[in-house]
Amino acid sequence: MFEALAGAYMAMKMHFNQMKYPMMKRQDRIVAETIYRNEVDKVGETEKYEKSRLPESGYMTVAEYEEKSRGKSRLEISEQLLDKAEMPKDVNMVYVPQKRFKLVKYNDPVGSPELTLPRKLNFDRQINAQGIISGDYNRLVYPAVYYYAQSDCTSCDLFVINLDPKLNNIEKVKKANIVNREPEPLISTSKDITTKFIFRTLTPIDFSTDNTKLVVKEKVGHRHDGIWKTDLWVYDFKAREAKKLPQIREAIVDYWAMSGGVDFDEKRWDIYPMGFDANDENRIVLCAYAYTGEVPKFLGTWSIDVNGENSKLEDLKGNAFPVATVGYRLAPEADVIPVSEVEFEARQAKELEKEKAKEAKQEEKFDNQIKKLEYQRKIQQMDMDTMLKIKERREFMKENYRKSKDGLTGN
């Protein structure tokens, strides 16, 4: 019934639209067909134009449905989610104390960065520890620690996030998101979980002065027996290569075996990376201690180059050694942002939202005007093309006029 009424309405609309053409033009069958086709096309264009002004509807053509329902890649889906992601807003919330943040030196005092494993790791199964920001504020490196309940042990990966250069330094860090991290880790510990209670962690120490290298320490130990040993790593961002430097531990063992007759196979000892030499960005400085009694025994300040060569004893007396401090970390300040500043920012944000809404409305109005002009131009062009065809038909009929037996003209 509905389809019949729609068909009747369309036929009536075609009839009235054709009435504006002179009767003498509509007597020719080909002219009448040309006029009819033009009016049908114009109705289609009108419907398309009116539909473009309305919000998206569930009623659509097969082609539109197929375009909407086509499969999308994971990249397209993640990009759409990021574009639509917005922080929730509470219109009733007037003031919430906001923390201030600042950037402070990460490796200060030198050698102090440590990675602790909180109890929540046993429940969350993974934590992202505090990262280090390069001295040029271009990248953030952070460790991701994983917990395996079946063997009560941990492993670790070291990831990098490239920071947004368009933001200021603090906003770069605050808006760094693991979604934007590079997929492959810089350094990974062993993922062997066959031995129970083993923990393996990676802790970044500092960047070199030119921000092209990063020194990292890997701690391996037992949950009930403490730290077994610390290994030294260096990552080169230019070469995109990580190197483990076991040579420094071998050099310390050989030195004390030859000079003091100490057999470290029967002693517990370890190294503590301090950072890069302040006078030579290609050398890493570290200290060594032996746990032979109540007070740890100092085994000297040592250095090694980034290629794992030329291990060197720098000092045996514990004198201060120049170590560069390059990287930064984000730390909260003691005070909070005052109420007046927050309220002022809120008013500014509200005014900005109004301006954006006004601009969006003006853009929508302008787009509608453009659509209307394009629609009118297309309709006029269709009418002009139709009149041109009618004119050509009339000229043809003048030259080839004949009258058929049934009184109709044209062929």
Side-chain angles (χ1 to χ4, degrees), residues 9 11 31 55 60 81 110 129 147-148 165 178 211 227 247 259 283 298 300-301 338 358 369:
Y9 171 75
V31 171
M60 58 185 73
L81 290 175
V110 293
Y147 174 72
Y148 306 93
I178 61 173
N211 295 290
I227 296 172
Q247 299 89 343
S259 63
R283 294 194 69 80
F298 180 62
T301 301
K358 186 177 179 181
Q369 290 176 344

Side-chain angles (χ1 to χ4, degrees), residues 174-186:
K174 289 173 66 177
K175 294 190 177 181
N177 195 302
I178 61 173
V179 174
N180 301 320
R181 77 183 185 189
E182 291 192 1
E184 295 299 322
L186 305 181

Side-chain angles (χ1 to χ4, degrees), residues 148-326:
Y148 306 93
Q150 61 268 38
S151 55
D152 196 14
C153 62
T154 62
S155 66
C156 190
D157 286 328
L158 199 68
F159 289 100
V160 63
I161 300 173
N162 295 314
L163 303 180
D164 190 347
K166 299 187 291 295
L167 304 174
N168 63 53
N169 294 335
I170 292 180
E171 288 299 315
K172 284 181 183 179
V173 184
K174 289 173 66 177
K175 294 190 177 181
N177 195 302
I178 61 173
V179 174
N180 301 320
R181 77 183 185 189
E182 291 192 1
E184 295 299 322
L186 305 181
I187 306 173
S188 296
T189 66
S190 171
K191 299 296 191 294
D192 180 18
I193 60 174
T194 56
T195 306
K196 296 193 69 173
F197 309 121
I198 299 297
F199 65 84
R200 304 177 183 89
T201 60
L202 294 166
T203 306
I205 301 300
D206 209 348
F207 284 89
S208 60
T209 52
D210 61 356
N211 295 290
T212 60
K213 300 177 184 67
L214 176 71
V215 62
V216 180
K217 63 182 176 184
E218 177 187 3
K219 285 189 175 183
V220 181
H222 192 276
R223 185 177 289 271
H224 305 299
D225 192 33
I227 296 172
W228 287 347
K229 70 169 182 175
T230 300
D231 286 318
L232 188 65
W233 287 83
V234 63
Y235 186 84
D236 189 329
F237 287 95
K238 285 186 176 179
R240 300 182 70 85
E241 179 184 22
K243 288 183 181 179
K244 192 175 182 178
L245 308 180
Q247 299 89 343
I248 188 63
R249 294 183 65 92
E250 297 170 2
I252 296 172
V253 170
D254 292 342
Y255 173 84
W256 284 101
M258 294 178 63
S259 63
V262 181
D263 184 5
F264 279 128
D265 290 337
E266 300 179 358
K267 306 291 182 182
R268 177 164 289 191
W269 71 285
D270 210 352
I271 60 173
Y272 291 84
M274 309 299 285
F276 286 91
D277 189 339
N279 300 318
D280 187 352
E281 62 186 20
N282 290 315
R283 294 194 69 80
I284 301 167
V285 180
L286 55 95
C287 294
Y289 292 88
Y291 303 100
T292 57
E294 293 184 0
V295 180
K297 178 178 175 55
F298 180 62
L299 300 179
T301 301
W302 296 74
S303 70
I304 185 173
D305 70 10
V306 294
N307 296 314
E309 301 171 354
N310 191 19
S311 300
K312 182 180 177 182
L313 174 61
E314 299 289 354
D315 179 68
L316 267 178
K317 298 180 180 179
N319 297 321
F321 194 87
V323 177
T325 54
V326 179

Side-chain angles (χ1 to χ4, degrees), residues 19 33 51 75 86 90 128 131 174 197 217 228 240 262 290 314 352:
M19 290 297 291
E33 183 178 346
K51 185 178 179 181
L75 180 61
E86 293 182 358
D90 188 348
N128 297 323
K174 289 173 66 177
F197 309 121
K217 63 182 176 184
W228 287 347
R240 300 182 70 85
V262 181
E314 299 289 354
L352 184 61

Side-chain angles (χ1 to χ4, degrees), residues 10 18 21 24 41 45 56 58 109 118 136 180 195 218 245-246 262 265-266 277 332 366:
M10 179 65 73
Q18 291 179 80
Y21 295 95
M24 59 177 295
D41 293 340
E45 287 297 326
E56 189 176 7
D136 55 8
N180 301 320
T195 306
E218 177 187 3
L245 308 180
V262 181
D265 290 337
E266 300 179 358
D277 189 339
F366 180 75

Side-chain angles (χ1 to χ4, degrees), residues 343-361:
E343 291 178 344
F344 174 76
E345 290 179 356
R347 289 195 298 271
Q348 292 289 97
K350 199 170 184 179
E351 291 296 327
L352 184 61
E353 286 182 3
K354 287 182 179 179
E355 287 296 324
K356 286 183 178 179
K358 186 177 179 181
E359 289 177 2
K361 195 171 182 179

